[in-house]
Amino acid sequence: MPTDTTEDVRTRGEGVSRQVAVLPVGSFEQHGPFLPLATDTLVACAVAREIAAAYPVHLLPPVTISCSHEHAAWAGTVSISSVTLHSVIRDIASSLRRSGVETLVVVNGHGGNYVLGNVVQESSARGERMALFPAPEDWEAARERAGVVTSLLTDMHAGEIETSILLHAHPEFVRPGYETSDFVADDRRHLLTLGMSAYTDSGVIGRPSLGSAEKGKALLASLADSFGTYFSLLTSDGDSTRG
């Protein structure tokens, strides 16, 4: 959770032509027997914290429940509708603008939050400054830099990337069993129709056994570097100097 006070935010904004807020969006859904339901939120927050440590941004608390309908077959998963998530992001962006923060970056930790792309498209078309991070290209660059073996296609859920980030950022939340839980299902063309349960019994699609804390640290560092282009694009003076 962010620890800023009002004075912290005010001081950070002094001399900055356009403030940038960063909003982590996670989910509350199954991640196999060894990662917590809050995994996507923990990942989004880890990325957002890395960004906030490197750039002068206003870090927001996370949205913790989102669109996890494809995981409904597993106990513990909770979802809201895409319409609700769309409205929540729009309301947060509007509130920020009223307080003088004109730019919002949504850090998405859950691949099923397709509607976030629509929110950003629509906002940009209205002349509002908003971005969605990380893009697939950012994840691919991070994967290569960290030495992640599994492709982004195979590493779909509770796999090498998510396990690595949690082993680095929150090792206390990773339970035994990830070492023997690899499962691959690259052909998922009917996922939206049938849900995850049609492709995996455990809830895992990927190779978590390959995860490591070292890879998690490198993944987050790479994403922080990639964010520099976004920061430059979204600030009117183009200042991408890291803090």
Side-chain angles (χ1 to χ4, degrees):
M1 296 293 291
T3 59
D4 281 347
T5 66
T6 297
E7 288 303 314
D8 293 332
V9 177
R10 180 179 294 115
T11 300
R12 189 184 300 117
E14 292 177 354
V16 178
S17 58
R18 194 179 299 275
Q19 293 192 65
V20 177
V22 173
L23 175 67
V25 178
S27 72
F28 199 73
E29 65 186 36
Q30 71 83 19
H31 274 78
F34 54 87
L35 295 183
L37 292 159
T39 290
D40 288 342
T41 299
L42 294 170
V43 169
C45 287
V47 174
R49 283 196 307 270
E50 200 82 8
I51 290 170
Y55 304 90
V57 299
H58 178 28
L59 180 60
L60 301 174
V63 175
T64 59
I65 296 177
S66 59
C67 302
S68 301
H69 310 283
E70 71 274 26
H71 298 276
W74 280 273
T77 296
V78 182
S79 290
I80 58 177
S81 72
S82 61
V83 174
T84 298
L85 182 57
H86 189 292
S87 296
V88 167
I89 303 303
R90 291 284 302 125
D91 285 354
I92 290 172
S94 295
S95 178
L96 285 166
R97 287 195 298 276
R98 288 193 296 272
S99 67
V101 181
E102 298 181 19
T103 304
L104 175 63
V105 177
V106 178
V107 175
N108 182 35
H110 172 47
N113 289 335
Y114 309 112
V115 70
L116 295 178
N118 298 120
V119 177
V120 172
Q121 287 176 322
E122 294 162 12
S123 298
S124 298
R126 286 190 293 267
E128 301 162 5
R129 293 201 176 212
M130 190 181 292
L132 183 61
F133 182 82
E137 293 83 359
D138 300 312
W139 277 118
E140 182 61 32
R143 188 189 71 81
E144 293 180 2
R145 175 167 159 181
V148 170
V149 176
T150 317
S151 71
L152 293 181
L153 171 64
T154 298
D155 194 51
M156 188 259 185
H157 193 69
E160 186 176 2
I161 286 177
E162 289 183 324
T163 302
S164 293
I165 290 177
L166 260 66
L167 284 172
H168 167 64
H170 295 285
E172 69 276 16
F173 294 151
V174 181
R175 299 187 182 185
Y178 72 90
E179 305 92 339
T180 58
S181 293
D182 291 3
F183 183 80
V184 174
D186 283 352
D187 187 346
R188 304 183 296 268
R189 69 187 74 189
H190 303 300
L191 177 65
L192 297 182
T193 302
L194 300 176
M196 282 281 289
S197 60
Y199 295 94
T200 171
D201 293 330
S202 67
V204 176
I205 297 180
R207 296 191 173 95
S209 69
L210 300 175
S212 72
E214 293 75 18
K215 290 178 182 177
K217 182 178 181 179
L219 284 162
L220 293 175
S222 177
L223 291 174
D225 288 343
S226 292
F227 186 77
T229 302
Y230 292 76
F231 189 79
S232 178
L233 178 67
L234 293 169
T235 52
S236 60
D237 59 6
D239 182 11
S240 60
T241 302
R242 294 172 65 126

